[in-house]
């Protein structure tokens, strides 16, 4: 008896889900081999998405801290740093100088003052997906502040493939303002809302620790543009 194409496809898709390992890393809900044969800094050097971040790490002298054994790094991308430089710092400088044409670039940053800003993304322990849940908990960052980190289902609930529902789960990286907000914080006043971003890539295992990559829409330090 011939097996229908429809049922065969469904069987193969189900088998693929069943074979996924818990320590795989995720890009937008897709599974990949998690292991990288090099340090966290080495990984960042291999990807042009982190060219400016690598320069920032070098300028702040934090390479050894990011490469320390058992470290987790939540990496902001170059887009995050560009947003900080152009949308936040440059706009502040323009307002201060009353000059809408003032140009401020990455090289003009005070890197000594940004050391703790980078440390806010570094944690002296391994923070892996397998140890996270929707409730989440607070972790101590290297800047001596806490960040709330959780693993939650995609709130849109609209993801499906091949007739099988598979809701992606994302790591949320949160700077808490006052009390922890619910996932749907639309009712929270804007001045009291937590600063929260998802990891677009999570669970990369390097030779010294764990790397998660924050979404491109994140602005470095959670800074906001002046009004």
């Amino acid at each position: 008896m011939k097996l229908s194409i429809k049922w065969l496809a469904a069987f193969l898709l189900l088998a693929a889900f069943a074979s996924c390992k818990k320590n795989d890393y995720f890009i937008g809900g897709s599974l990949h081999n998690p292991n990288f044969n090099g340090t966290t800094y080495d990984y960042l050097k291999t990807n042009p998405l982190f060219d400016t971040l690598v320069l920032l790490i070098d300028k702040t002298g934090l390479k050894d801290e990011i490469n320390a054994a058992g470290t987790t790094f939540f990496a902001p991308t170059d887009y995050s740093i560009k947003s900080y430089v152009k949308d936040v710092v440059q706009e502040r400088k323009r307002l201060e100088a009353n000059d809408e044409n003032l140009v401020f670039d990455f090289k003009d940053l005070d890197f000594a003052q940004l050391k703790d800003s980078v440390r806010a993304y570094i944690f002296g322990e391994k923070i892996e997906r397998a140890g996270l849940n929707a409730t989440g908990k607070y972790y101590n960052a290297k800047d001596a502040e806490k960040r709330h980190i959780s693993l939650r289902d995609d709130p849109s609930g609209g993801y499906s493939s091949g007739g099988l529902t598979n809701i992606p789960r994302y790591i949320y990286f949160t700077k808490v303002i006052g009390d922890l907000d619910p996932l749907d914080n639309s009712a929270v006043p804007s001045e009291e809302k937590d600063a929260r971003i998802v990891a677009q890539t999570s669970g990369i295992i390097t030779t010294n620790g764990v790397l998660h990559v924050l979404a491109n829409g994140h602005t470095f330090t959670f800074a906001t543009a002046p009004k």
Side-chain angles (χ1 to χ4, degrees):
M1 181 175 62
K2 292 183 179 179
L3 184 64
S4 72
I5 297 298
K6 179 180 178 180
W7 282 106
L8 179 59
F11 173 78
L12 291 175
L13 184 60
L14 183 60
F17 284 132
S19 66
C20 293
K21 297 178 181 179
K22 289 184 178 180
N23 64 345
D24 285 345
Y25 82 82
F26 287 70
I27 300 178
S30 297
L31 291 158
H32 296 260
N33 187 317
N35 299 303
F36 175 75
N37 187 25
T39 66
T40 296
Y41 181 87
D42 291 337
Y43 179 89
L44 298 174
K45 289 274 286 186
T46 68
N47 192 326
L49 189 62
F50 305 112
D51 286 348
T52 306
L53 174 61
V54 169
L55 285 175
L56 181 59
I57 292 168
D58 291 342
K59 293 285 189 181
T60 53
L62 291 173
K63 176 181 176 181
D64 288 343
E65 288 192 26
I66 287 170
N67 277 349
T71 295
T72 297
F73 185 45
F74 283 82
T77 68
D78 289 356
Y79 292 100
S80 298
I81 299 170
K82 180 181 179 182
S83 177
Y84 172 75
V85 173
K86 292 299 183 182
D87 299 337
V88 179
V89 182
Q90 178 173 271
E91 290 305 308
R92 287 175 182 170
K93 297 291 184 182
R94 286 179 173 181
L95 287 174
E96 291 170 2
N98 194 25
D99 179 2
E100 64 180 12
N101 297 313
L102 182 150
V103 176
F104 187 92
D105 293 317
F106 174 81
K107 62 181 175 56
D108 302 316
L109 290 169
D110 186 336
F111 294 105
Q113 289 190 355
L114 288 176
K115 198 161 189 172
D116 270 350
S117 297
V118 178
R119 282 178 168 144
Y121 299 87
I122 306 172
F123 298 81
E125 60 183 298
K126 288 187 177 182
I127 303 172
E128 300 183 75
R129 290 176 63 94
L132 297 173
N133 56 35
T135 302
K137 69 176 186 177
Y138 289 92
Y139 292 85
N140 294 312
K142 287 291 186 175
D143 67 340
E145 293 189 6
K146 294 179 182 295
R147 294 290 181 267
H148 186 270
I149 302 172
S150 60
L151 182 70
R152 297 173 180 264
D153 291 346
D154 177 5
S156 71
Y159 183 85
S160 64
S161 176
L164 297 177
T165 300
N166 180 40
I167 302 175
R169 306 181 76 198
Y170 294 99
I171 290 179
Y172 282 77
F173 181 86
T174 305
K175 178 180 179 180
V176 176
I177 310 298
D179 296 325
L180 181 67
D181 293 349
L183 187 59
D184 179 4
N185 63 356
S186 57
V188 179
S190 57
E191 67 275 8
E192 298 176 13
K193 283 186 178 180
D194 295 340
R196 181 172 64 198
I197 194 70
V198 300
Q200 64 185 19
T201 303
S202 61
I204 301 171
I205 308 301
T206 66
T207 54
N208 71 277
V210 182
L211 173 65
H212 306 292
V213 180
L214 298 178
N216 292 332
H218 171 59
T219 299
F220 179 62
T221 77
F222 286 110
T224 56
K227 299 180 180 179

